[in-house]
Amino acid sequence: MTTLHPAVDTGPAKLLRRAPARIGAQNLSLLAALAAVLSVFGVLNDNYLGLDNLKVIAEAATITGLLAVVQTVVIICGGLDISVGSQAGVASVVSAMAFTASGSTALAGIAAAIGVGLLIGLLNGAVIVYGRVNPTIATLAGLAAYKGLAQLLSDGRAQGYVLGDDVFVFLGRGKIAGLPVMVWILILVAVAVHLLLKYTDLGRNLYAIGGNDTAARLAGININKYLIAVYALIGAVAAVAGILLTARTGSGQPVSGSEGLELKAITAAALGGCALKGGKGGVGGTLLAVALLGALENGLTVQGINTFWQNVAQGALLVLAVALQQRRSGERPVGLPG
């Protein structure tokens, strides 16, 4: 008797069947939403899907993307940073002022901004760890304090003019292989953070801290050091975002361009699949959410819709993302019987 063996599932068909599981339901939903947004606005405006406008979307989303990527890291380990937009504003002002004071040396401005960003990040981490202040409260205070600091340093006005310098022009308007330099910087940061989270012990420890900090502590993980390092990382990357803001606008911006970035970063991380209680999330989903927010914002602008509706949309998306997380986790809704 001949024994029949089931056909071996190989080749492209196997890859196609496994693709949804590998990509994840969250990311597939984001891809579908992004495709829908692009399709709708592409129909409404012939130039929306043009290469020039897509580059505009990418450039505009870069600064948000940088902050969203590091927001992903801090949310994974159970924290939050509401002050990232204000940190970028301080770095923007410092980069322009240091550039001017040093006799038009771009590297001086860049180094000063990153140094200040690191100090701010370390301060946030120290307040949270050693002051035992809730991360949300600590960084909410930082949101106000750093915004005030940026305004004090700049007297509330844009500072300097940096577009006479080749380095700033290259950062803000240069291109490599057809893509804006700003986008390449986001790609490099995102890839580095992805590799850190997925393939290193440091990344695994961050997930462990966010998933169960008591178990992580009993396993010998020094949670305090990790938290301070994470907030220092946020400060440094927020400084890079501030430098790019300066390069893009041509001057140091204390508030304009950085206000509201914290909401966009948190919304992108939540939409991308980060559990706000920690222990879950990834860079890929966050970047898809950044692209979705950028495409939506640009589409509303192109259609001449009042920009205030963009804030309404962002707030609604954040609530939707958290509500979906609650349902998927099976947690009882607050205030309702089980």
Side-chain angles (χ1 to χ4, degrees), residues 36 54 70 99 124 135 174 208 236 272 301 314 323:
L54 291 177
V70 287
F99 168 76
N124 280 346
T301 301
Q314 289 172 28

Side-chain angles (χ1 to χ4, degrees), residues 54-66:
L54 291 177
K55 287 182 179 179
V56 168
I57 294 174
E59 286 183 0
T62 296
I63 293 173
T64 300
L66 286 169

Side-chain angles (χ1 to χ4, degrees), residues 7 46 54-55 85 87 97 103 139 148 172 185 190-191 215 229 248 291 332 338:
D46 293 337
L54 291 177
K55 287 182 179 179
Q87 292 181 52
M97 293 180 71
T139 56
I185 292 173
V191 168
R248 192 174 179 218
R332 180 177 65 84

Side-chain angles (χ1 to χ4, degrees), residues 30 33-34 37-38 41 48 53-65 68 186 248 264-265 267-268 271 286-302 310 313-314 317:
L30 287 171
L34 178 59
V37 168
L38 292 174
F41 286 116
Y48 180 76
N53 191 58
L54 291 177
K55 287 182 179 179
V56 168
I57 294 174
E59 286 183 0
T62 296
I63 293 173
T64 300
L186 171 59
R248 192 174 179 218
K264 291 181 181 179
T267 301
L271 278 174
T286 296
L287 289 181
L288 283 174
V290 168
L292 174 61
L293 290 174
L296 179 62
E297 182 176 338
N298 180 269
L300 294 174
T301 301
V302 168
Q310 296 174 15
Q314 289 172 28
L317 285 172

Side-chain angles (χ1 to χ4, degrees), residues 3-9:
T3 303
L4 297 178
H5 297 280
V8 179
D9 191 8

Side-chain angles (χ1 to χ4, degrees), residues 121-138:
L122 288 170
L123 175 61
N124 280 346
V127 169
I128 291 165
V129 169
Y130 299 113
R132 298 186 178 183
V133 179
N134 180 281
T136 302
I137 301 302

Side-chain angles (χ1 to χ4, degrees), residues 269-288:
L271 278 174
C274 286
L276 295 183
K277 289 187 176 182
K280 180 182 177 184
V283 172
T286 296
L287 289 181
L288 283 174

Side-chain angles (χ1 to χ4, degrees), residues 7-173:
V8 179
D9 191 8
T10 59
K14 180 180 179 181
L15 293 176
L16 286 174
R17 275 188 285 272
R18 289 188 175 183
R22 294 180 67 87
I23 295 173
Q26 181 85 18
N27 291 347
L28 285 173
S29 299
L30 287 171
L31 284 170
L34 178 59
V37 168
L38 292 174
S39 299
V40 169
F41 286 116
V43 170
L44 293 174
N45 190 298
D46 293 337
N47 296 322
Y48 180 76
L49 292 178
L51 185 58
D52 289 340
N53 191 58
L54 291 177
K55 287 182 179 179
V56 168
I57 294 174
E59 286 183 0
T62 296
I63 293 173
T64 300
L66 286 169
L67 299 179
V69 165
V70 287
Q71 193 73 247
T72 297
V73 178
V74 74
I75 290 175
I76 283 172
C77 69
L80 193 68
D81 195 335
I82 304 176
S83 67
V84 288
S86 296
Q87 292 181 52
V90 172
S92 177
V93 169
V94 168
S95 66
M97 293 180 71
F99 168 76
T100 303
S102 64
S104 300
T105 304
L107 293 180
I110 292 170
I114 292 177
V116 168
L118 280 169
L119 287 175
I120 289 175
L122 288 170
L123 175 61
N124 280 346
V127 169
I128 291 165
V129 169
Y130 299 113
R132 298 186 178 183
V133 179
N134 180 281
T136 302
I137 301 302
T139 56
L140 180 61
L143 169 68
Y146 304 140
K147 180 178 178 180
L149 177 60
Q151 291 172 320
L152 285 170
L153 290 172
S154 63
D155 199 23
R157 299 191 300 268
Q159 291 293 308
Y161 179 75
V162 302
L163 294 184
D165 181 86
D166 291 341
V167 174
F168 276 112
V169 171
F170 178 70
L171 290 175
R173 305 185 181 186

